[in-house]
Amino acid sequence: MISRIKELMYEPEFIRNIGIVAHIDHGKTTLSDNLLAGAGMLSEDLAGDARSLDFDEQEAARGITIDAASVSMVHKFSGDDYLINLIDTPGHVDFGGDVTRAMRAVDGAVVVVCAVEGIMPQTETVFRQALKENVRPVLFINKVDRLINELKLKPEELQNRFLKIIAESNKLIKNMAPKDKRDQWKVDVTDGSVAFGSAYHNWAINIPIMQKSGINFKDIIDFCNEERQKELAQKVPITDVLLGMVVEHLPSPLESQAYRVPTIWDGDIESEEGQVMIKTESDGPLAVMVTNVSVDKHAGEIATGRVYGGTIEKGSEVFLVGSHAKARTQQVGVFFGAERVNTDKVPAGNIVAITGARGAVAGETICDVDRKIKEFEGIEHISEPVVTVA
Ligand code: GDP
């Protein structure tokens, strides 16, 4: 599997860099952990059969994912392997700045909305943070089990509830997306860019999969009422449905960098470094943006970031643009599940973990020593809308 990740790294068409964002308690952590377990990417310690962990065991295992700045999974879709890098976004809006920074590293976002509560103020904030960074959203309506088991909704009522959440999301997308993306980026229940399910019980479904599997709203209600959600999770596992949605509806770096680079970097697009970033080329001037710095008790400071252009190599001299300082990378790594795996080099389109880039802070631009590039644009922090009382 590690060697597969190292191969896929060089095929940006088969990479998806994504974040999961949500209002607090809507299920972001539960979903992230279950995706990782479902993709068979929990660490060795938990190996055994991660899929069969019951929920408490999974909760106990959480410490592992919580500390990782990024986790990676390989997912097979229509016969091809895809490398999916899931970048951690802090769960609370107090860390609004960090959410925005994480959005800088990704191309797509799964917006999780609790079916019981619906769109909340922080849902609006995370939509704004993603769309402002030119990050395309898809929608996951979570906790559907509660609509059935607690609120006892009928099939039409379920559908109406979903339609309301979808309509409200599209209103936000229309208002906040870049002008040329407003229509294109609408989520659509019929094309599968909206899914609904239960992160807790590990199942999810969307209209295309309903049509393929023959499972309808009434069946879902029966599975929930008859306490057969485990069976439902086997028929429509959340990992397959959500990662399938990510692969199909969220852009690869190759597609996304072409329109994102001009909005996050105001250097000369016609220059060599501009063109290398626009085309996600690994051969050419280096351009990395650091999005997170953490401290590991063995490796010391680890800077995680997105490689936009060129290739970063271990043991190479680089230039930190913001700090006006040279540094030497010790190790460069990619993620395997939640673990860092060192490698020799990491090319454009990927998320890299760098040790040795001493002094690098989140927001720092890293480039070659002999080809200094313009800094990535500063990140504007977006937090909760201010409510004024008249
Ligand atoms: P976060 O704050 O968005 O990361 O939310 P968590 O993943 O921590 O979930 C908040 C609470 O909702 C936890 O108690 C979860 O067990 C619960 N939860 C998450 N997803 C579901 C779901 O699909 N169904 C039900 N019934 N509970 C859920």
Side-chain angles (χ1 to χ4, degrees):
M1 194 71 104
I2 293 182
S3 61
R4 195 69 196 112
I5 289 181
K6 289 184 181 174
E7 282 165 16
L8 287 170
M9 247 170 30
Y10 286 91
E11 301 181 56
E13 216 182 313
F14 294 96
I15 298 174
R16 296 293 182 274
N17 296 310
I18 63 158
I20 299 181
V21 290
H23 183 84
I24 192 149
D25 271 352
H26 280 198
K28 184 178 87 84
T29 317
T30 311
L31 176 62
S32 315
D33 289 354
N34 288 2
L35 289 183
L36 201 61
M41 305 293 286
L42 279 180
S43 87
E44 285 280 297
D45 315 347
L46 295 160
D49 186 1
R51 278 166 213 253
S52 69
L53 288 183
D54 72 23
F55 200 78
D56 290 338
E57 287 170 298
Q58 289 198 14
E59 288 226 295
R62 248 182 212 175
I64 290 173
T65 58
I66 260 167
D67 289 337
S70 173
V71 297
S72 301
M73 294 164 266
V74 175
H75 180 67
K76 208 178 218 32
F77 182 80
S78 292
D80 288 311
D81 281 344
Y82 288 82
L83 172 60
I84 298 178
N85 299 313
L86 170 59
I87 285 82
D88 185 43
T89 56
H92 198 272
V93 81
D94 278 356
F95 304 112
D98 294 322
V99 177
T100 314
R101 211 173 280 135
M103 284 297 111
R104 185 57 66 88
V106 302
D107 306 300
V110 177
V111 180
V112 180
V113 178
C114 164
V116 180
E117 283 196 338
I119 305 269
M120 295 292 281
Q122 286 169 35
T123 318
E124 232 178 287
T125 306
V126 294
F127 260 119
R128 184 176 296 113
Q129 286 165 331
L131 292 165
K132 187 157 185 306
E133 286 287 323
N134 256 291
V135 166
R136 183 172 186 161
V138 286
L139 186 63
F140 176 58
I141 303 178
N142 189 30
K143 304 200 190 184
V144 173
D145 57 304
R146 290 188 52 201
L147 291 186
I148 298 164
N149 292 339
E150 292 171 31
L151 305 187
K152 315 279 184 208
L153 297 195
K154 297 192 184 69
E156 315 79 70
E157 293 171 320
L158 270 188
Q159 286 188 59
N160 288 341
R161 173 95 44 148
F162 297 156
L163 290 175
K164 183 165 182 276
I165 294 174
I166 295 164
E168 285 178 19
S169 300
N170 278 332
K171 210 167 143 194
L172 296 174
I173 293 170
K174 195 160 190 248
N175 289 335
M176 298 169 177
K179 273 206 185 78
D180 57 330
K181 304 283 191 290
R182 282 181 185 168
D183 292 320
Q184 198 191 333
W185 281 10
K186 267 194 199 159
V187 292
D188 182 346
V189 71
T190 56
D191 73 6
S193 49
V194 179
F196 27 88
S198 169
Y200 187 96
H201 293 286
N202 258 315
W203 60 268
I205 196 156
N206 57 22
I207 299 285
I209 289 173
M210 280 178 134
Q211 284 161 349
K212 223 187 301 171
S213 64
I215 297 177
N216 61 27
F217 282 110
K218 176 160 181 315
D219 299 325
I220 290 170
I221 293 178
D222 291 343
F223 275 111
C224 291
N225 281 333
E226 294 162 14
E227 292 184 16
R228 289 160 61 212
Q229 289 193 68
K230 272 205 168 132
E231 217 177 296
L232 189 55
Q234 271 163 5
K235 288 185 193 295
V236 283
I238 197 162
T239 308
D240 285 356
V241 175
L242 273 255
L243 296 185
M245 170 160 89
V246 162
V247 166
E248 215 176 346
H249 294 280
L250 296 179
S252 71
L254 203 59
E255 191 189 331
S256 139
Q257 287 193 198
Y259 57 79
R260 286 192 71 220
V261 168
T263 63
I264 60 178
W265 185 75
D266 77 350
D268 177 8
I269 292 297
E270 298 308 322
S271 64
E272 192 188 352
E273 55 265 36
Q275 286 300 302
V276 157
M277 284 198 266
I278 290 274
K279 294 177 187 150
T280 319
E281 283 176 356
S282 53
D283 214 0
L286 178 68
V288 174
M289 175 159 176
V290 176
T291 51
N292 180 284
V293 176
S294 59
V295 178
D296 178 285
K297 57 176 184 285
H298 304 295
E301 253 177 44
I302 300 167
T304 308
R306 165 79 175 257
V307 188
Y308 276 101
T311 297
I312 187 157
E313 298 187 22
K314 75 168 183 189
S316 62
E317 207 173 26
V318 292
F319 188 70
L320 310 180
V321 182
S323 326
H324 290 282
K326 284 184 189 170
R328 185 172 288 280
T329 61
Q330 278 161 8
Q331 289 170 330
V332 295
V334 288
F335 292 88
F336 171 75
E339 288 170 64
R340 262 181 314 112
V341 178
N342 289 323
T343 181
D344 293 335
K345 41 192 177 181
V346 178
N350 288 278
I351 306 299
V352 63
I354 310 161
T355 57
R358 211 160 290 144
V361 291
E364 182 66 275
T365 302
I366 299 181
C367 65
D368 295 319
V369 185
D370 55 358
R371 178 146 195 145
K372 294 177 186 161
I373 69 165
K374 200 165 175 161
E375 255 182 290
F376 282 97
E377 272 190 46
I379 294 169
E380 198 185 308
H381 289 184
I382 297 173
S383 46
E384 292 249 44
V386 180
V387 180
T388 44
V389 182

